[in-house]
Amino acid sequence: MKSAVALLLATSLIATPALAVQPPFSTPAPVAYMQDLSSGAILYAKDADRRMPPASLAKIMTVYVAFDMISRGELKLDQTFTVRPETWKKWHGPAAGSTMFLSVNENVSVANLLYGIITLSGNDACVVLAEGISGTEEAFVSRMNEQAKKIGLNNSHFGTSNGWPDGGVTYITARDLAKLASATIQNFPTLYKQFYSKTDFTWGKTMGSGAAITQANRDPLLGRVAGADGLKTGHTEEAGYGFTGSAEQNGRRLVMVVAGLTSFNQRISESVRFMEWGFRAWQAKPIVKAGRVVESAEVQGGAASRVNLVAPHDLTATLPGGAVPDLKLSVVYEGPIKAPFKKGQHIADLVVRSPGMAPQYLPLVAETDVAEAGFFGRAWAGFLSLFGV
């Protein structure tokens, strides 16, 4: 049963009650979405659940699978895979789209393949990595779909490792793209920082002079928006020009998606304008300091009957710039909370509500470990329950 507790600490945050007016924004992008990861607030959503071809945005999922395997020790960055002649034949030349310019029978490290996928959007790099990990691209795509389910991409499906048009087998939504980007950033922060913000990468040689080939990252935010550090562009005739991006400023991290734009330059201008609106038109409102006890919760079957719920870090809500709305806070959790659980485990949420805005859910964690009750503790609890105590 979900328990809810209204909090009096909300009164210290309230000035004159006011309606939170959504800052205006419009975009020619048919699909657009933005979320503030610091508070969970959705700042903008335009046709965010429309299924659409992701083009190269599907490569974020390919990279996520690789990052997950690396973090588990199942894949190493210095491990090498060989470019099969059949793969090279299919994925080189103008008809193969973006390429890393791999060579036939070349041995390439996982790290360099990841740079080739993320920075250069190499279709060839995706397939070489997929085949190296799973034997065939089809087997790797099964991994992609398994991981997609695990992280809650409920309206997405992958048919290729690189997003190449496949007659509608591969599709995703803007909301799922933002969720995938968020999971990448939050679950693999070190790998994300290492691979996603590289401005250019050099690989391969020209056929004539043998000169090294350097290609720039197409991320439209890098170098244009402070704190920008990823993620990925995509383009096909079917999908138009799209982008999933992120930036962090003053402790606020935003994730944005635009899709269906009509040109390379429009993607740049709309992405920059959208992200700047997200930072300038909205503000972070401090709610609870890190370590502060917000409430206590009833514990079931534990060595202790209650546990304090504390803020794991400074908690903030996202509000329109200049707004001083009426904030209402409450704590929700599936209660009573079943033991055992560990100190720092996320067991409840602080819900921030304001007129005119969707609720924002901020995590609360256990202040201490609570072990499972021993035999006599369970027996005593059972005895008390007979009397409704």
Side-chain angles (χ1 to χ4, degrees):
M1 184 177 79
K2 187 158 297 247
S3 299
V5 182
L7 298 183
L8 293 178
L9 66 94
T11 58
S12 66
L13 301 169
I14 300 171
T16 303
L19 188 69
V21 179
Q22 192 94 352
F25 184 80
S26 62
T27 176
V31 174
Y33 185 82
M34 179 175 287
Q35 185 171 18
D36 189 329
L37 297 192
S38 309
S39 64
I42 296 169
L43 308 187
Y44 190 85
K46 179 181 181 182
D47 214 358
D49 296 308
R50 179 205 296 187
R51 290 183 176 183
M52 58 187 182
S56 286
L57 299 179
K59 292 168 183 169
I60 305 173
M61 190 74 242
T62 295
V63 172
Y64 186 93
V65 172
F67 279 5
D68 182 67
M69 294 181 69
I70 292 164
S71 70
R72 295 174 183 273
E74 299 172 9
L75 185 68
K76 298 186 181 301
L77 288 173
D78 60 359
Q79 190 173 339
T80 60
F81 296 135
T82 302
V83 182
R84 296 168 60 246
E86 299 87 348
T87 303
W88 175 85
K89 183 177 181 181
K90 182 177 180 180
W91 295 106
H92 88 285
S98 300
T99 176
M100 183 180 171
F101 292 105
L102 294 169
S103 300
V104 66
N105 294 322
E106 184 177 18
N107 292 317
V108 191
S109 71
V110 169
N112 285 327
L113 287 170
L114 287 171
Y115 284 125
I117 294 168
I118 295 167
T119 310
L120 310 182
S121 198
N123 291 321
D124 51 354
C126 278
V127 179
V128 170
L129 182 69
E131 291 176 342
I133 289 173
S134 298
T136 67
E137 185 181 16
E138 292 76 13
F140 182 83
V141 167
S142 294
R143 280 182 178 261
M144 294 172 68
N145 286 312
E146 288 172 8
Q147 281 288 358
K149 289 180 181 178
K150 287 180 182 178
I151 59 177
L153 307 191
N154 299 320
N155 208 6
S156 301
H157 185 266
F158 299 93
T160 68
S161 63
N162 54 22
W164 195 256
D166 57 6
V169 174
T170 299
Y171 59 83
I172 201 165
T173 67
R175 195 181 305 274
D176 277 3
L177 276 168
K179 192 177 294 185
L180 173 57
S182 303
T184 301
I185 294 164
Q186 294 170 344
N187 295 344
F188 314 113
T190 302
L191 289 167
Y192 175 76
K193 184 177 180 180
Q194 177 179 350
F195 285 97
Y196 266 102
S197 57
K198 197 170 181 64
T199 56
D200 58 60
F201 186 61
T202 300
W203 196 270
K205 297 182 183 298
T206 59
M207 293 184 65
S209 64
I213 301 172
T214 298
Q215 299 182 72
N217 192 327
R218 300 185 186 102
D219 184 328
L221 300 184
L222 292 180
R224 294 185 178 94
V225 173
D229 53 12
L231 296 155
K232 189 77 192 68
T233 58
H235 169 250
T236 61
E237 290 299 320
E238 177 187 31
Y241 289 83
F243 174 61
T244 299
S246 184
E248 185 174 24
Q249 295 181 12
N250 302 317
R252 286 182 65 208
R253 177 172 285 281
L254 305 184
V255 167
M256 59 154 286
V257 179
V258 289
L261 292 164
T262 58
S263 72
F264 182 92
N265 287 333
Q266 188 185 46
R267 180 172 63 192
I268 293 174
S269 60
E270 284 304 303
S271 297
V272 170
R273 194 171 69 89
F274 195 21
M275 187 62 84
E276 288 182 342
W277 171 82
F279 282 119
R280 294 176 182 175
W282 297 84
Q283 63 181 343
K285 178 74 173 179
I287 300 294
V288 182
K289 285 287 188 182
R292 177 176 175 181
V293 176
V294 176
E295 228 335 314
S296 67
E298 183 182 356
V299 175
Q300 180 179 9
S305 61
R306 299 192 71 82
V307 63
N308 284 338
L309 305 174
V310 302
H313 49 77
D314 289 348
L315 301 181
T316 62
T318 304
L319 301 171
V324 189
D326 182 6
L327 298 181
K328 303 295 184 184
L329 308 186
S330 61
V331 171
V332 295
Y333 55 87
E334 295 292 339
I337 298 167
K338 293 182 179 179
F341 48 83
K342 295 289 187 182
K343 176 182 178 179
Q345 186 172 328
H346 178 195
I347 57 175
D349 288 300
L350 177 62
V351 185
V352 182
R353 290 183 171 87
S354 179
M357 292 191 64
Q360 298 177 43
Y361 292 81
L362 309 178
L364 296 175
V365 301
E367 185 180 42
T368 59
D369 295 347
V370 175
E372 189 174 6
F375 172 77
F376 291 107
R378 294 195 301 273
W380 179 246
F383 174 76
L384 292 178
S385 69
L386 293 174
F387 299 93
V389 178

